[in-house]
Amino acid sequence: MTSYFCPCPRGMEAALAEEIGEIAAQSTTLKVHNQVPGGVHCSGTMQDAWLLNLHSRIASRVLMRMAQRSYTTENDIYDLVLEQVWEDWFGPDHTIRVDVTAVKSPLRSLEFTTLKIKDAICDRFRDQFDKRPSVNTREPDMRIVGFLDARNFIVYLDTSGEALFKRGWREETGDAPLRENLAAGLLRVSGWKPGAPLFDPMCGSGTILVEAAQMLQGIPSGARRSFAFEKFADHDGQAWAAMKAAVKPNVLPQEPTIFGSDISGDMVEMTRHNLKIAGILFDVPLKQIEAQHVSAPTTEPGILLTNPPYGERIGVRGDSTVPQDDMAAGFYAAFSTTLKQRFAGWTAYLFTADLGLPKMLRLKESRKTPFFNGALECRLFRFDMVAGFNRREEAKPKQD
């Protein structure tokens, strides 16, 4: 069995481990191991790596471990990389890129370490073939990843290629769109299941809606893209094609259960376009409306999940004279009233870097879960909307 490491957005490790466990139901060899900050270790065959790349909505990549050893200097790292049979996986005509991450490493320069790894790979090919791979940092055929802690070095070969959040459907985005794998993780953490009502009242370019719609339709996250392992030596293209062909889509829903809206008509059109490009064949009703004016789209309570934007789209349309802080405060006060009056029985999840959001909403969160959107620390706030007010205690009128 081969060891794999699947990195993911920080905070999503438990969700990813659960997802890999579900994917493992399709395999007799894929095993989930331990979670560590930033990812999940697992093991299996090369076909299990295919499965993970095809089906994991939360992983950022699937990295195949080539070797591990303790080190004291960059030369130890060079020697270990030089020993690996890279020629079993790719040839000197392929382009490469090397990336290194470190936690508490005593080495002074990660750039120098990266250079030593690249040199070791190129020297091995030059020794054997009198030819070396070229470096391509933008669109390499092969990505080699090094990880250093205080004592040990691990070198991986990336089976994914482009990061897995790049599903292959996104042609255009709004400002700072939510990454697809983070959106998928938020859907899992929220407890949403395909078929249950889902509403994003500030949908932007529609990332949450597209992820949910693909899950409902049974479209694998990797169905519309290619992977680095397809360029590996001795790749079995027939078996890979058979694995993809074996995926059967779900029956299309007769009634809408996924809904979205946004203050921007351009964003609504972008979401509609992205749903089409992502292969969604059923109706996802979308409206252009300010979030503080929305109503529950179904009589059955469901999940409201959104990543509130900042700036103009959050406030009063066209009124640039209102300071942004006042604009946000007014918006959240109005949105809070909407939630309390029109979404009784719903569970509302707001994902934001603004840790003071519950105070602005004057609502007490029932749970707050820390996640990272890249390097940005965020929270997923959960609010259980019950009939009547659900104010923070300090916002209630004081009794005499």
Side-chain angles (χ1 to χ4, degrees):
M1 291 295 107
T2 301
S3 293
Y4 295 101
F5 179 65
C6 298
C8 66
R10 289 288 294 271
M12 288 291 174
E13 296 86 357
L16 175 57
E18 181 180 84
E19 180 189 62
I20 294 174
E22 293 171 6
I23 295 170
Q26 303 180 50
S27 168
T28 58
T29 48
L30 178 57
K31 307 295 180 190
V32 187
H33 301 301
N34 57 312
Q35 303 170 36
V36 297
V40 177
H41 290 281
C42 56
S43 64
T45 64
M46 177 51 63
Q47 292 208 359
D48 291 323
W50 300 355
L51 265 182
L52 290 168
N53 278 291
L54 180 60
H55 290 287
S56 177
R57 307 198 82 91
I58 302 175
S60 302
R61 299 181 179 278
V62 181
L63 304 178
M64 178 173 62
R65 189 169 73 184
M66 299 292 289
Q68 178 175 354
R69 185 180 295 169
S70 61
Y71 73 96
T72 53
T73 70
E74 292 88 353
N75 288 334
D76 298 327
I77 291 169
Y78 173 93
D79 291 342
L80 180 62
V81 174
L82 186 68
E83 292 170 13
Q84 305 313 306
V85 285
W86 301 105
E87 64 274 11
D88 284 359
W89 299 98
F90 61 92
D93 292 327
H94 287 102
T95 57
I96 63 171
R97 170 178 170 151
V98 178
D99 293 284
V100 175
T101 57
V103 177
K104 297 181 179 178
S105 171
L107 298 183
R108 290 185 178 181
S109 170
L110 290 188
E111 287 186 11
F112 184 58
T113 304
T114 302
L115 187 63
K116 293 292 281 188
I117 293 171
K118 185 267 295 179
D119 286 347
I121 295 168
C122 291
D123 288 350
R124 182 175 180 96
F125 277 102
R126 189 183 286 111
D127 290 345
Q128 296 200 24
F129 303 101
D130 200 26
K131 189 177 182 182
R132 46 153 286 181
S134 298
V135 172
N136 182 335
T137 57
R138 291 179 65 87
E139 294 181 341
D141 297 317
M142 301 294 157
R143 294 171 186 260
I144 294 87
V145 178
F147 175 73
L148 300 156
D149 63 17
R151 296 181 178 178
N152 294 295
F153 168 70
I154 309 174
V155 61
Y156 297 97
L157 180 58
D158 183 1
T159 70
S160 302
E162 286 270 36
L164 293 182
F165 73 82
K166 297 182 179 180
R167 312 291 202 215
W169 58 259
R170 189 186 290 281
E171 294 180 350
E172 49 187 350
T173 65
D175 295 333
L178 194 66
R179 283 185 173 180
E180 289 80 346
N181 61 334
L182 184 53
L186 294 174
L187 282 163
R188 180 174 284 269
V189 172
S190 77
W192 177 77
K193 302 289 185 187
L198 175 73
F199 180 38
D200 182 352
M202 292 172 264
C203 66
S205 59
T207 309
I208 290 172
L209 301 179
V210 172
E211 286 297 305
Q214 283 199 334
M215 291 164 67
L216 182 56
Q217 193 170 316
I219 300 174
S221 55
R224 310 176 78 82
R225 54 161 287 168
S226 58
F227 300 96
F229 65 74
E230 296 176 66
K231 297 179 181 178
F232 286 177
D234 300 325
H235 171 66
D236 190 339
Q238 243 180 339
W240 168 232
M243 178 180 288
K244 290 194 290 184
V247 176
K248 301 303 178 192
N250 297 331
V251 176
L252 298 179
Q254 297 301 305
E255 297 292 331
T257 57
I258 299 173
F259 306 85
S261 64
D262 199 274
I263 190 174
S264 165
D266 290 343
M267 288 295 175
V268 170
E269 284 307 309
M270 192 183 295
T271 296
R272 191 169 281 122
H273 176 77
N274 285 339
L275 285 161
K276 181 180 178 181
I277 297 299
I280 304 307
L281 301 176
F282 58 89
D283 184 32
V284 177
L286 303 172
K287 285 184 180 179
Q288 180 186 354
I289 186 173
E290 297 177 15
Q292 63 267 45
H293 296 150
V294 299
S295 298
T298 59
T299 54
E300 177 190 354
I303 299 286
L304 184 153
L305 173 61
T306 195
N307 173 215
Y310 297 92
E312 289 179 6
R313 283 174 51 237
I314 208 168
V316 181
R317 192 198 319 267
D319 190 351
S320 59
T321 64
V322 180
Q324 190 166 317
D325 286 351
D326 292 343
M327 194 184 287
F331 165 78
Y332 279 118
F335 186 55
S336 174
T337 300
T338 296
L339 289 177
K340 289 180 285 194
Q341 292 180 352
R342 301 180 183 177
F343 286 84
W346 283 66
T347 306
Y349 287 90
L350 277 70
F351 180 71
T352 180
D354 188 344
L355 307 188
L357 182 138
K359 189 173 183 179
M360 284 197 291
L361 284 171
R362 293 174 295 165
L363 290 171
K364 174 61 178 173
E365 73 275 11
S366 60
R367 191 170 75 207
K368 56 182 176 183
T369 310
F371 296 108
F372 281 80
N373 187 4
L376 191 62
E377 184 177 359
C378 300
R379 294 285 187 278
L380 180 64
F381 291 104
R382 169 178 168 164
F383 303 97
D384 297 321
M385 306 313 302
V386 295
F389 287 158
N390 186 21
R391 292 180 182 273
R392 286 175 164 270
E393 289 299 320
E394 63 265 29
K396 291 182 180 178
K398 294 201 184 321
Q399 300 281 330
D400 290 332

